[in-house]
Amino acid sequence: MNPPGQPVRTSEFRPAASSAEFLAAINELVSAGERHAPATADDRLPIILVVGAPRSGTTVLMQWLKASGFAVPSNLAARFSMNPRFAGMLQRLLSDPALGYRDELSVGAPGDSFASSYGKTRGVLAPHEFSFFFRRFFPVTVGEALHPEQIATCDPDGFLAGLRGFGSALGSPPAVKALLIQYHLELFLGDPRVIIIHTIRDEADNVVSLLGHRISVAGDVREWISVRPPEYEWLRDLSPVEQVAGQVHFTNLHLGRQLRSFPEERVLSLPHGDFCAHPARLHALLRERLSAAGFEWTRPYDGPESFTARHYDPASVEYREAAAALERVRKMAEDRGLLPS
C-alpha cells in the first residue's frame, strides 16, 4: 500500500481487458435481464433477409433499409450480439431524437449515410453484418454449404426470435444481411413472415468488382474472399478470374433455385441497376410484401431519388475477360453435371 500523499503506481492496477473480454463482460452483465424480458406485441414482426453474391450491392441496400426506417443492426449493436433486445434499445437511445434530451446523446454528424469501403461501414450507428449474432445459431464462419450434421445443430427459430426482439426494441421490422446462411434458406421456409431480397448485379460487372476486392482486402488476387458456394472445392483449383466467375454465378443459381420454393409474396429479386435507378420502387414493393405478412408499413418514402451504379465498360479488357470466364465456368459445370436444377 502506498504511503499517504504518494501517487499510486499504475502497475498496481489490473491491466485493461482486451476488446473481446470487455464486450463479453458487458454482455454477461445484461444477459439476466435479457432472458427475463417480457414478450411484446411486436414479437411476430416480419423479418427481411438480404442475400446475394459478394459485391452485388448488398451493403448499399442495407444502408438504404436503415435510412428507410427498418431495424438494421448497427456497429454498436453488433457489440451486444448476446443480447439483441438490449442492443436494439441502446441503438434506439442513440438514434431516436425523442429520447435525446437537448441533443445530449448526439453521436455527431452522420456524414454520408451511404458510404462504405468494400462492405465495411464507419460510425456508431452505421449498418453491421451482425455476424457474431448469426454464429450463435448456425455453425458458420463464412457463408458456405453445411453438412447434414451441421444443419441439425442450427437454431433458426432462436435466430428469428432474437431478431424480432431487436426489431421490437426499435419499433420496426428487422433487416439483416444473411450471406452467412444464404445457401440454406430452406431453414426459414416455415415462417410466413420472413421476406427475402436477392440482389442481382450484372455478373461480369460483379466479377470485375470482386477481383478488385481480393486485391484491396487480401492484397492478392489469388486469395479467396467471402462466400463459398457448393462448387467451391473444384472452383478453388481454377484461375482467379474463373474462381470469382464461379463464385458469383453459382451463388446466384443456388439462391434462385432456393427462392423458387418460397411463395411469391415473400421474395424480391432485385437487379442492382434497377434499385440504383429507382429506389422508391423498392419501397413500394416492400410495402406490399409487408402487408401480405400482416404488417402495415405507413412510412412515406423520403430517401434518395437514385444512386450511382458502377458499371464497367463492356469493351474493356477486364470486362471481356470476366464474361469469357463466366462462359467457361458454365461449360465446365455443365460437363460435370453440377448445374443446379
Side-chain angles (χ1 to χ4, degrees):
M1 185 172 188
N2 290 342
Q6 293 294 317
V8 178
R9 294 190 299 273
T10 56
S11 61
E12 294 179 359
F13 287 107
R14 181 182 177 186
S18 69
S19 174
E21 292 171 334
F22 183 75
L23 292 175
I26 295 177
N27 275 277
E28 181 63 28
L29 189 64
V30 300
S31 284
E34 177 94 357
R35 286 193 297 269
H36 295 96
T40 72
D42 293 328
D43 278 349
R44 294 302 296 167
L45 282 169
I47 290 174
I48 296 173
L49 303 181
V50 172
V51 298
R55 306 297 298 161
S56 65
T58 54
T59 298
V60 70
L61 175 57
M62 294 306 305
Q63 292 169 315
W64 179 88
L65 287 167
K66 181 179 184 300
S68 298
F70 290 90
V72 174
S74 64
N75 288 325
L76 175 65
R79 272 64 181 173
F80 299 95
S81 59
M82 296 298 295
N83 301 282
R85 192 184 295 265
F86 172 80
M89 295 177 73
L90 186 59
Q91 183 168 315
R92 184 173 181 179
L93 185 64
L94 296 182
S95 60
D96 188 343
L99 301 179
Y101 177 70
R102 293 186 177 179
D103 209 26
E104 288 178 341
L105 298 178
S106 171
V107 292
D112 183 358
S113 60
F114 295 99
S116 66
S117 178
Y118 294 99
K120 296 295 184 181
T121 62
R122 295 185 64 182
V124 170
L125 298 177
H128 191 280
E129 294 187 1
F130 223 24
S131 51
F132 287 107
F133 178 76
F134 275 83
R135 290 168 185 150
R136 288 180 54 199
F137 305 99
F138 307 104
V140 293
T141 54
V142 297
E144 61 185 347
L146 301 176
H147 300 298
E149 59 270 21
Q150 292 176 302
I151 295 174
T153 68
C154 294
D155 182 11
D157 292 338
F159 170 77
L160 296 176
L163 281 183
R164 288 192 167 103
F166 175 79
S168 68
L170 283 158
S172 59
V176 292
K177 189 189 296 189
L179 272 62
L180 280 176
I181 198 62
Q182 67 180 2
Y183 298 116
H184 294 284
L185 296 177
E186 72 277 0
L187 293 170
F188 308 109
L189 187 58
D191 191 317
R193 292 181 176 86
V194 173
I195 298 167
I196 300 174
I197 303 177
H198 175 197
T199 63
I200 306 168
R201 185 177 180 180
D202 173 89
E203 288 194 340
D205 265 346
N206 206 155
V207 170
V208 176
S209 179
L210 189 48
L211 278 172
H213 184 55
R214 284 187 172 196
I215 296 170
S216 297
V217 173
D220 189 342
V221 75
R222 297 167 297 181
E223 187 74 23
W224 191 285
I225 295 290
S226 193
V227 300
R228 300 172 180 175
E231 294 77 14
Y232 168 75
E233 290 300 325
W234 67 271
L235 285 173
R236 65 181 182 175
D237 294 326
L238 303 180
S239 68
V241 68
E242 289 169 335
Q243 288 178 0
V244 171
Q247 186 179 14
V248 169
H249 182 65
F250 290 118
T251 292
N252 285 329
L253 278 176
H254 284 290
L255 288 172
R257 181 194 63 185
Q258 293 179 87
L259 293 176
R260 286 197 293 271
S261 301
F262 283 74
E264 182 179 351
E265 65 272 13
R266 292 177 55 191
V267 174
L268 277 170
S269 294
L270 182 67
H272 178 60
D274 290 354
F275 166 68
C276 289
H278 305 288
R281 292 180 184 174
L282 176 59
H283 190 273
L285 290 171
L286 273 176
R287 180 177 293 172
E288 294 175 1
R289 299 301 193 274
L290 292 168
S291 179
F295 185 88
E296 297 305 319
W297 185 249
T298 59
R299 176 168 171 161
Y301 185 67
D302 58 0
E305 293 184 6
S306 64
F307 297 97
T308 300
R310 174 71 184 273
H311 296 294
Y312 295 92
D313 182 358
S316 66
V317 172
E318 59 265 38
Y319 188 97
R320 288 188 284 111
E321 288 180 346
L326 284 163
E327 286 302 317
R328 291 196 300 274
V329 164
R330 293 183 189 115
K331 182 64 168 61
M332 283 187 280
E334 184 178 353
D335 292 343
R336 289 170 168 80
L338 292 172
L339 288 176
S341 59

